[in-house]
Amino acid sequence: MRVLAFTCGWLTGPLSNFLAGEDGRLRAPVPCYLIDHPRGKVLFDTGLHRALATNPAGRLGFLAKVFEVEFGSRELVSERLATVGVDPGEIDYVVNSHLHFDHVGGNAEIPNARIVVQRPEWQAGHAPSLARRNVFDARDYDTGQDVLQVAGEHDLFGDGRVVCVPTYGHTPGHQSLLLRLDGGPILLASDACYLRRTLDDMHLPAVVHDGEAARAALRYMDGLRRSGTRIFFGHDPEFWKTVPQAPDPIR
Ligand SMILES: [Zn+2]
């Protein structure tokens, strides 16, 4: 099984959005991962919508005032896949951690995939008040593919190597992806754990959907880390420097 990391743009926003109460700003990577399993190709998150390369304000509305977007057309997830010889049409599954714009914006680029999302997240994405409160944009994820709604842990290929794990709290049905590599297990935490400091200090962002659930998710990840799982933080620029970038695999 081969796992590749791609940087699909950068977002700069108030540090308090990542760590409540902190001053200053943070320039954060937008990661996507390709998991090439013998029985199928999986993309974990899809980054930003192609319109953000030319007109972020037109697409994002007020969020474009919160986040400065650095995103060229070559950072679109489909373009990043092309650099490693993978046609977007060959992707079998898109596992979306959650429905925020920097995680589902590229779903439209992946036409033949089945979308794998936690049921509470998908439901929130289609309940107007919850969608509004969580700043979801249905144009990002109502893109026509089959959707597999899972509830809790879901072993994608039945061999324990690619497992969706619920890490609710950041949003109603956030999930992370547990990968069992030859070099040991890794957890792609996504936004259940923005930064290394989030986990080291149990320090939540200023805004979460459910603080109690978010803290429980961090305790779960802390337990995994103590037992030897490497945690891949969702938007940590310092951590990101240590992650091999495609075409170099994560081992
Ligand atoms: Zn994010």
Side-chain angles (χ1 to χ4, degrees):
M1 189 167 83
R2 182 174 66 136
V3 180
L4 301 179
F6 302 102
T7 307
C8 295
W10 294 80
L11 298 172
T12 301
L15 183 55
S16 63
N17 277 37
F18 300 90
L19 296 167
E22 301 255 337
D23 295 325
R25 291 172 72 77
L26 184 76
R27 180 173 181 262
V30 177
C32 297
Y33 298 88
L34 172 69
I35 300 103
D36 194 355
H37 183 280
R39 290 180 41 213
K41 289 185 172 62
V42 183
L43 200 57
F44 182 62
D45 285 339
T46 62
L48 303 171
H49 189 272
R50 59 165 61 236
L52 270 64
T54 49
N55 185 9
R59 177 82 183 185
L60 291 181
F62 85 91
L63 281 173
K65 293 189 170 63
V66 178
F67 293 105
E68 178 197 324
V69 178
E70 294 168 68
F71 183 56
S73 55
R74 288 172 56 202
E75 291 164 294
L76 191 64
V77 68
S78 45
E79 296 295 323
R80 306 291 286 117
L81 289 171
T83 65
V84 295
V86 172
D87 186 303
E90 299 174 55
I91 300 292
D92 300 290
Y93 295 98
V94 166
V95 176
N96 285 129
S97 62
H98 65 302
L99 300 180
H100 279 154
F101 75 97
D102 53 324
H103 299 265
V104 291
N107 278 25
E109 308 294 327
I110 315 295
N112 303 324
R114 171 170 275 199
I115 310 295
V116 183
V117 65
Q118 292 283 324
R119 180 168 294 130
E121 189 74 2
W122 193 252
Q123 287 176 340
H126 297 90
S129 66
L130 276 174
R132 211 166 26 246
R133 183 172 147 202
N134 284 283
V135 200
F136 295 154
D137 181 346
R139 292 178 300 173
D140 284 337
Y141 47 84
D142 280 346
T143 45
Q145 300 96 328
D146 277 354
V147 177
L148 175 64
Q149 298 180 49
V150 301
E153 240 179 71
H154 180 77
D155 183 344
L156 206 53
F157 297 107
D159 62 358
R161 291 162 89 185
V162 183
V163 183
C164 301
V165 293
T167 45
Y168 299 173
H170 176 72
T171 54
H174 188 284
Q175 64 183 346
S176 303
L177 196 63
L178 186 59
L179 303 176
R180 292 199 171 83
L181 308 183
D182 293 341
I186 68 173
L187 182 80
L188 308 180
S190 195
D191 291 0
C193 193
Y194 277 142
L195 308 171
R196 187 187 302 278
R197 283 182 58 201
T198 312
L199 191 54
D200 288 352
D201 306 336
M202 292 283 159
H203 191 153
L204 291 180
V207 177
V208 289
H209 174 73
D210 178 339
E212 204 40 61
R215 274 185 286 276
L218 285 178
R219 286 193 292 273
Y220 162 74
M221 287 183 266
D222 189 47
L224 284 183
R225 184 164 71 165
R226 285 170 196 278
S227 61
T229 299
R230 287 175 287 159
I231 308 296
F232 281 55
F233 308 102
H235 287 296
D236 189 321
E238 293 305 314
F239 167 74
W240 198 240
K241 288 180 192 164
T242 72
V243 176
Q245 297 286 300
D248 292 336
I250 295 168
R251 295 184 193 280

